[in-house]
Amino acid sequence: MAAPTPAPPSPRRTFLGRQSLPERNFLTDALRTETVGGVILLVAAVAALIWANTFGSSYTTVSHLHFGPEALGLHLSVAHWAADGLLAIFFFVAGVELKRELVAGELRDPKAAALPVVAALCGMAVPALVYTLVTVLGDGSTSGWAVPTATDIAFALAVLAVIGTSLPSALRAFLLTLAVVDDLFAILIIAVFFTENIDFVALIGAFVGLAVFYLLLRLNVRGWYIYVPLALVIWGLMYNSGIHATIAGVAMGLMLRCTRRDGEERSPGERVEHLIRPLSAGFAVPLFALFSAGVSLSGGALAGVFTRPETLGVVLGLVVGKTLGIFGGTWLATRFTKAELNKELAWADVFAVASLAGIGFTVSLLIGELAFTGDDDMINEIKASVLLGSLIAAVLSGVLLKLRVRRYRALTDAEELDEDESGVPDVYEQDDPEYHLRMAAIHERKAAEHRRLARLAGAASNKPDSPA
């Protein structure tokens, strides 16, 4: 009796391989908005630094200006409105992004999702450990352990836009997926570790509002004039409950449907995200940066970043912890799973993207304010360390990415090539017979033109007065 034929080994998944065309198109559209928003964010941060260091008194006056209905517990300062109010829009978009990744993107397949999730978790755990180690050895406060755990995708993409590096879509997708998972765990950190006193009546009211929001979505009720007032009520109740109000934005974002039904070009989540993302990237986050990044950058303050254990821990957490955490987590995940690195890329590319993830801004600044509430001097120094750590990470990643820029351009050009002018890049049409027929016709026309030119050249060379 013949021995049974052994089953063929399951193929290894390609890490950082080419994406499907719909994913690539969605990513291109999303990153275009994030990149533009990132540049605006960069301008806002620079403006805040200039304003705070030239007209510091006016910056403080405007930041501490209070307005809003006091009877509803919403008589807040401008800086507070920016952090708790406008950032809820940012976290709403983050919630929609996470939902889409879970049902239609990189995270829908548990096996494929394992790698970016492990990388993101290591990219948060190692910076926290670095910060904790530095502060324990330096006899400092461990309260800011979560500050260097966050990655700012908009700022990272702004750095890419400024230095002109063209990342292939696979690397950009990996960076975006990392940021989405990073945002999820940052939200959990804020909810679990920075909530002290809870008003259960307001919290129950917020949950009732979320239930109504969910029910209206399931009933396909439409109209911004219904959802916007309801969202404001939910946000106000969540704020008064004692839980950070941005959690309301995430919860509502996660409720949107992000799968397409028959006849739909875009799901409701994709449509809403397309409308809200420019508002988040171009207005909400830059305005938050304007009233959060204004820190004193005197020579003594900058020098102090490297002498205080808390601020040194933030810098090392962002620059060293993020890079080693993401790179190490990615390498370990590929080492112990059936994933292998795309042969067109190298581990140096993963290391460069990992260093780019060390740019922490929006959420890092927010966590810094929450971790050291009531200590304005420490908050100012923590913010300075976030800015300095992000700057070092940006310079480091820029250098590393520049070393591979020729390879990136070649890969990007190959992804964009559309020689048959069908509107679809050629790399996505290799299995389409019609594509090869179109290319054959194009080459036949070119061959016919070259034969005609050859005849003309031969006729010219046979003339009596032609050169010998």
Side-chain angles (χ1 to χ4, degrees):
M1 182 176 178
T5 304
S10 56
R12 301 194 69 177
R13 296 187 306 277
T14 300
F15 167 51
L16 296 179
R18 185 180 301 123
Q19 297 175 290
S20 66
L21 185 60
E23 277 295 301
R24 174 188 173 277
N25 292 338
F26 176 83
L27 179 71
T28 299
D29 182 52
L31 291 181
R32 185 182 299 113
T33 304
E34 289 286 2
T35 302
V36 173
V39 174
I40 298 172
L41 176 61
L42 191 60
V43 171
V46 172
L49 291 172
I50 294 173
W51 186 6
N53 286 275
T54 52
F55 304 99
S57 59
S58 65
Y59 181 84
T60 302
T61 300
V62 174
S63 297
H64 293 170
L65 179 66
H66 282 66
F67 66 95
E70 191 166 359
L72 299 178
L74 297 174
H75 188 67
L76 311 177
S77 67
V78 171
H80 209 161
W81 276 109
D84 280 15
L86 292 179
L87 274 196
I89 300 173
F90 165 80
F91 278 105
F92 173 80
V93 174
V96 179
E97 285 179 341
L98 177 62
K99 177 68 174 290
R100 188 191 170 280
E101 288 289 331
L102 289 170
V103 300
E106 293 291 320
L107 303 179
R108 70 184 183 280
D109 179 4
K111 292 181 179 178
L115 202 147
V117 169
V118 169
L121 282 173
C122 291
M124 299 185 79
V126 176
L129 289 173
V130 169
Y131 176 92
T132 302
L133 181 63
V134 171
T135 52
V136 168
L137 293 177
D139 197 24
S141 171
T142 58
S143 300
W145 62 269
V147 175
T149 60
T151 294
D152 194 304
I153 183 63
F155 230 139
L157 293 172
V159 170
L160 289 179
V162 170
I163 66 177
T165 301
S166 180
L167 274 182
S169 61
L171 286 173
R172 287 177 176 256
F174 181 58
L175 181 61
L176 184 61
T177 305
L178 275 176
V180 169
V181 179
D182 193 290
D183 285 342
L184 168 64
F185 287 105
I187 292 159
L188 292 176
I189 287 172
I190 292 171
V192 174
F193 294 99
F194 298 105
T195 299
E196 296 180 356
N197 300 316
I198 297 179
D199 183 332
F200 286 99
V201 174
L203 184 60
I204 292 171
F207 280 136
V208 171
L210 288 171
V212 173
F213 189 90
Y214 179 81
L215 182 62
L216 292 175
L217 289 173
R218 297 287 79 80
L219 294 175
N220 292 320
V221 175
R222 297 189 177 186
W224 64 267
Y225 45 85
I226 296 174
Y227 289 102
V228 171
L230 178 58
L232 291 174
V233 171
I234 294 170
W235 174 86
L237 288 168
M238 189 68 76
Y239 175 83
N240 281 287
S241 73
I243 295 177
H244 203 270
T246 53
I247 305 299
V250 180
M252 287 183 278
L254 285 170
M255 290 180 182
L256 292 179
R257 176 170 60 83
C258 292
T259 52
R260 300 177 188 178
R261 293 176 178 170
D262 292 341
E264 288 184 339
E265 291 186 5
R266 288 182 173 180
S267 66
E270 289 173 319
R271 288 198 305 271
V272 172
E273 183 185 13
H274 184 73
L275 291 173
I276 302 298
R277 186 188 288 275
L279 176 64
S280 169
F283 176 73
V285 176
L287 203 57
F288 165 76
L290 183 64
F291 291 105
S292 291
V295 298
S296 174
L297 294 180
S298 64
L302 289 176
V305 167
F306 297 100
T307 57
R308 292 200 62 161
E310 295 88 352
T311 50
L312 180 61
V314 170
V315 173
L316 292 178
L318 288 171
V319 178
V320 179
K322 270 289 184 184
T323 304
L324 294 182
I326 292 173
F327 180 81
T330 305
W331 186 85
L332 288 173
T334 56
R335 176 70 177 80
F336 295 104
T337 64
K338 293 182 178 180
E340 61 181 358
L341 184 65
N342 183 349
K343 291 180 173 57
E344 294 180 329
L345 297 170
W347 281 107
D349 302 309
V350 180
F351 190 85
V353 172
S355 66
L356 185 64
I359 301 174
F361 189 76
T362 306
V363 181
S364 290
L365 292 176
L366 176 61
I367 293 176
E369 292 179 355
L370 296 174
F372 296 100
T373 300
D375 190 344
D376 291 341
D377 291 337
M378 178 60 80
I379 289 175
N380 191 70
E381 292 178 7
I382 289 293
K383 287 182 178 181
S385 65
V386 168
L387 295 176
L388 188 58
S390 298
L391 177 61
I392 295 172
V395 173
L396 174 63
S397 60
V399 171
L400 294 175
L401 292 168
K402 279 292 186 182
L403 294 175
R404 295 274 291 169
V405 71
R406 288 188 179 180
R407 183 59 182 158
Y408 295 154
R409 284 174 179 166
L411 292 173
T412 303
D413 289 344
E415 289 178 356
E416 299 294 334
L417 182 65
D418 183 18
E419 199 172 355
D420 64 336
E421 298 181 350
S422 65
V424 177
D426 294 345
V427 293
Y428 293 99
E429 296 187 298
Q430 297 304 306
D431 295 330
D432 182 4
E434 293 299 323
Y435 160 75
H436 294 287
L437 292 174
R438 289 194 297 270
M439 289 304 301
I442 290 171
H443 288 304
E444 287 167 3
R445 288 196 298 271
K446 289 182 178 180
E449 177 63 14
H450 282 294
R451 284 193 289 269
R452 185 184 69 81
L453 294 174
R455 287 194 297 269
L456 291 175
S461 64
N462 291 329
K463 290 183 180 180
D465 57 348
S466 62

